[in-house]
Amino acid sequence: MMCGLLVALAVPGGLAACSSGSTPTGTGTATGGASTPGGATPGGSPIIAALADVPDGGGLIAGNPANSKPLVLVRTGETVKAYDASCPHQGTAVSPPENGVITCPNHGSTFNAADGTVTKGPATAGLTEVPVKVEAGQVVPA
Ligand code: FES
């Protein structure tokens, strides 16, 4: 209670930062959730996500610092690929990959996580790849 009071006095609206529970927050699922770390690498590249936050063999949704549109990241070992997360069918944001498949929750189109190609409609085109690379442990635009 004291913590909440102090936070409320020091930071208006900051009560949420001081909960009494110890349950971790976030979306720590096997395939990851959303990631918006921001910032830049020592080399000045805008950070899309920390490599450590992208589940190996899965992926997550992250913001593209170039245009703030969501990207779906797919990690295989130390390699990360990124696609525009907008479904080519009607633009719904796709879900992070599971078992090598990216699925659109709206009408069920599926895409191959390895190359973005459509594997089941109604989408008739694949996901658009966005060039990224890993630099200093961070996923950044290539
Ligand atoms: S918007 Fe993705 S399948 Fe229709």
Side-chain angles (χ1 to χ4, degrees), residues 10 24 30 32 35 48 70 90 113 122 124 134 141:
S35 178
I48 298 170
Q90 291 183 354
T124 56
V134 177

Side-chain angles (χ1 to χ4, degrees), residues 35-41 45-50 63 65 138:
S35 178
T36 53
T41 65
S45 299
I47 296 171
I48 298 170
Q138 307 292 334

